[in-house]
Amino acid sequence: MDADLVIVGAGLFGLTVAQQAVEKHGAKVEIIDVRDHIGGNAYSYMDEETGAEIHKYGAHLFHTSNPRVWEYVNRFTEFTNYVHRVYTTHNGEVFPLPINLGTINQFFHAHYTPAEAKALIAEQAGELAGTDPANLNDKGISLIGRPLYEAFIKNYTAKQWQTDPSELPAGIIKRLPVRFNYDNRYFRDTWEGLPKDGYTAWMERMIDDPRIHVTLNTDFFDESQPLNKKALVGKVPVVYTGPVDRYFDYELGDLKWRTVDFKEVRYDEGDHFGCPVMNFADSDVPYTRAIEFKNFNPERKDSQNPDKTVVWEEYSRFATREDEPYYPVNTAEDKALYEQYAAKAAQEPKVVFGGRLGTYKYYDMHNVIDTALTAYEEQVAPLLG
């Protein structure tokens, strides 16, 4: 075949490697993807009725403190000045997240100073204060006290994992951010924003080069078409960004993932929630959060429908092989299984495994780009000679 490198998966990892291979090596690159679009889970499209940019696989928010990544992405897109803030509904009342002094004072109908709030939370952790519990429920109480944990974390987490938090490992949360000031910015990174003309336009610019060819609707494991695993592996360098267990036909077992389902709701009003993301902390609401896409881009109000809005309600569950995998479950058993797959992957001739699915890790977008730049330098470039 007339390609120096084949990339399986047109997500951010694959696109970054493709761009680097062309720019730094002059390589001819073939990208294949089983989906009908590039961009992986960061893909977005415009909704004609509302003028909203829909993030097809859930809200994607770019943020980073990594200068290398920030410099790299700004080659392909400008960013808005969007700052992400999240709110949560509990018992019919809306509170700011992450938990901050505003949340605490609103919840307790008080006017605590930072020092008073810290003392209160330590007191409310009770006998769990300063301990290191093994389960998530007790860990949460030890970190932020029982009242705040039970109001904002317990039921949300139970919905997210379909499991009682007392049966979940404490490592899932590790820490719960509590800010003893009124800062309700969700991220603390140096840079933050959304691509000015959308995610898909950004991705298209990354591979706007005649030496990069993209073939969509193409399954790497389908031997009835030429760009398949059997025909390519060992004959040409391959960057594989699909599920690592699928690559080996699940021969050691399935790695477990969480997936997300979305229910679209349209409203005959210009703004339903007044914010982009509204969490629902209570168990009587079956979804974890709702995303109102118009509110990510207030700078586009002139091109948005002032009388219509679209909201996606987000439901979390365990994934099957047929689902889109989002979050690795990462139990000790899963980690051990992944290590076995990683050992097999290391033996594959001229194959580099990368991205969220290929390495069984949850990455934000900036992490994906950073690991892709490193993978190109350390693993892909040597294969290109």
Side-chain angles (χ1 to χ4, degrees):
M1 64 174 300
D2 188 31
D4 303 307
L5 176 67
V6 173
I7 296 175
V8 182
L12 265 175
F13 190 97
L15 299 182
T16 301
V17 171
Q19 188 278 326
Q20 290 285 282
V22 167
E23 178 177 273
K24 295 187 173 180
H25 195 273
K28 292 183 179 179
V29 180
E30 177 72 42
I31 303 174
I32 68 172
D33 200 296
V34 71
R35 292 171 172 172
D36 62 358
H37 59 77
I38 68 166
N41 280 16
Y43 169 75
S44 66
Y45 62 92
M46 299 305 294
D47 179 67
E48 291 186 8
E49 181 184 44
T50 63
E53 180 185 348
I54 304 291
H55 304 184
K56 183 174 181 177
Y57 303 94
H60 276 68
L61 308 161
F62 191 80
H63 56 97
T64 187
S65 295
N66 185 325
R68 176 172 76 155
V69 171
W70 184 241
E71 180 182 355
Y72 181 75
V73 298
N74 274 272
R75 295 175 55 190
F76 309 105
T77 184
E78 292 182 70
F79 287 87
T80 68
N81 60 1
Y82 176 80
V83 174
H84 192 47
R85 291 181 168 87
V86 174
Y87 297 86
T88 188
T89 299
H90 167 62
N91 283 348
E93 190 172 353
V94 175
F95 296 83
L97 289 180
I99 294 169
N100 60 72
L101 196 55
T103 319
I104 294 167
N105 279 331
Q106 182 181 346
F107 183 76
F108 291 109
H109 305 288
H111 51 87
Y112 294 119
T113 65
E116 290 169 339
K118 287 178 185 178
L120 175 73
I121 285 179
E123 177 187 336
Q124 291 178 340
E127 72 280 3
L128 294 171
T131 65
D132 189 20
N135 72 76
L136 187 151
N137 190 79
D138 291 353
K139 181 72 170 179
I141 294 170
S142 75
L143 290 171
I144 63 171
R146 187 179 298 275
L148 290 170
Y149 166 76
E150 291 187 345
F152 299 117
I153 307 299
K154 181 177 181 178
N155 293 316
Y156 186 93
T157 303
K159 290 189 290 186
Q160 197 171 34
W161 290 90
Q162 292 177 296
T163 305
D164 189 289
S166 64
E167 299 174 13
L168 290 169
I172 288 175
I173 54 173
K174 292 184 181 176
R175 58 182 295 273
L176 285 171
V178 178
R179 298 177 188 160
F180 295 100
N181 57 32
Y182 292 94
D183 179 6
N184 69 332
R185 294 173 302 157
Y186 195 77
F187 303 118
R188 304 295 290 270
D189 282 303
T190 307
W191 298 286
E192 179 178 359
L194 297 171
K196 278 193 174 179
D197 51 1
Y199 280 102
T200 298
W202 166 12
M203 311 297 171
E204 288 172 345
R205 288 191 200 100
M206 291 180 71
I207 54 171
D208 184 17
D209 189 290
R211 292 166 291 186
I212 298 176
H213 183 263
V214 180
T215 305
L216 300 174
N217 300 301
T218 301
D219 186 350
F220 182 58
F221 303 101
D222 177 8
E223 294 184 7
S224 70
Q225 56 82 29
L227 298 170
N228 67 76
K229 176 185 174 184
K230 186 176 181 180
L232 296 173
V233 170
K235 302 176 179 66
V236 61
V238 172
V239 173
Y240 175 79
T241 68
V244 62
D245 51 356
R246 173 68 183 94
Y247 182 93
F248 295 104
D249 200 24
Y250 308 103
E251 64 181 65
L252 301 177
D254 291 40
L255 291 166
K256 294 192 288 296
W257 294 81
R258 301 289 295 168
T259 191
V260 176
D261 297 319
F262 299 101
K263 177 184 176 183
E264 183 176 281
V265 185
R266 291 179 180 266
Y267 295 95
D268 293 326
E269 52 189 305
D271 191 351
H272 185 69
F273 284 115
C275 63
V277 178
M278 178 67 72
N279 286 6
F280 290 87
D282 300 332
S283 60
D284 59 350
V285 178
Y287 44 94
T288 54
R289 63 179 183 170
I291 304 165
E292 187 165 7
F293 293 100
K294 281 175 69 174
N295 289 328
F296 285 129
N297 299 101
E299 77 282 356
R300 297 179 188 168
K301 62 181 183 299
D302 292 342
S303 62
Q304 294 175 341
N305 187 335
D307 303 314
K308 301 278 187 179
T309 192
V310 57
V311 169
W312 281 20
E313 297 168 353
E314 190 171 305
Y315 300 77
S316 178
R317 62 179 172 82
F318 286 101
T320 68
R321 288 185 185 180
E322 287 69 44
D323 290 318
E324 298 288 352
Y326 279 74
Y327 308 103
V329 174
N330 259 337
T331 62
E333 180 184 0
D334 285 306
K335 290 176 182 176
L337 179 58
Y338 170 68
E339 290 304 320
Q340 294 179 58
Y341 276 122
K344 290 178 67 67
Q347 301 304 312
E348 285 295 285
K350 297 183 179 179
V351 181
V352 174
F353 289 75
R356 192 171 44 92
L357 305 181
T359 60
Y360 195 61
K361 289 182 177 67
Y362 179 73
Y363 285 128
D364 286 328
M365 286 183 284
H366 64 104
N367 301 128
V368 173
I369 294 167
D370 189 46
T371 56
L373 291 170
T374 299
Y376 174 76
E377 295 168 356
E378 296 181 356
Q379 297 173 269
V380 178
L383 295 176
L384 296 174

